Amino acid sequence: MDTDLITKVTQVIPRQDGSELKIVVEQMTGLGLHGSLWIYVHRRETIDHPWILLSDKPHPNWRSMSVNDYIEHGRSEIFQSVSPGEILKLIHMIGKPMTSLQVTV
């Protein structure tokens, strides 16, 4: 049975401060034709502001930071903005049949 599989998932998450985060998880094929997942996180201050792509790079001095400094300032912009659980929830959907999606109106 041919089934269309989910290869890209996007979720917009509103925050209490009025900002929004958009998490995008996409299945890609590399040069060796092996699959990999690309994860992007965008943020905007309000609905009227443009989306800004967040960095996945940690602070340049993250290795020399104390644990508390790393938690507050050393992690990448992505992990300062979203939790690993919010990302894993979307990763879990990749590869599932499109019919597994629930449509709410």
Side-chain angles (χ1 to χ4, degrees):
M1 177 167 121
D2 256 26
T3 305
D4 290 330
L5 301 178
I6 299 170
T7 59
K8 184 175 182 179
V9 180
T10 302
Q11 181 181 20
V12 175
I13 303 170
R15 295 295 194 213
Q16 288 184 346
D17 65 359
S19 66
E20 291 183 324
L21 294 160
K22 178 170 46 174
I23 304 171
V24 180
V25 177
E26 185 172 6
Q27 184 177 6
M28 301 298 277
T29 303
L31 293 175
L33 300 178
H34 62 285
S36 61
L37 295 178
W38 289 10
I39 301 165
Y40 305 95
V41 179
H42 299 82
R43 184 176 195 282
R44 65 180 174 184
E45 294 298 319
T46 68
I47 290 177
D48 299 327
H49 285 82
W51 289 106
I52 297 171
L53 180 64
L54 299 181
S55 172
D56 63 349
K57 306 290 186 235
H59 189 279
N61 299 328
W62 71 272
R63 291 180 193 259
S64 63
M65 292 180 166
S66 69
V67 173
N68 289 336
D69 284 345
Y70 174 76
I71 290 170
E72 288 185 39
H73 310 289
R75 296 180 298 161
S76 68
E77 288 179 327
I78 288 176
F79 287 115
Q80 289 181 31
S81 301
V82 298
S83 71
E86 290 170 323
I87 294 172
L88 287 172
K89 183 174 97 175
L90 298 182
I91 289 173
H92 183 70
M93 296 173 72
I94 299 293
K96 298 229 169 135
M98 291 288 278
T99 56
S100 68
L101 292 176
Q102 271 188 338
V103 178
T104 58
V105 182

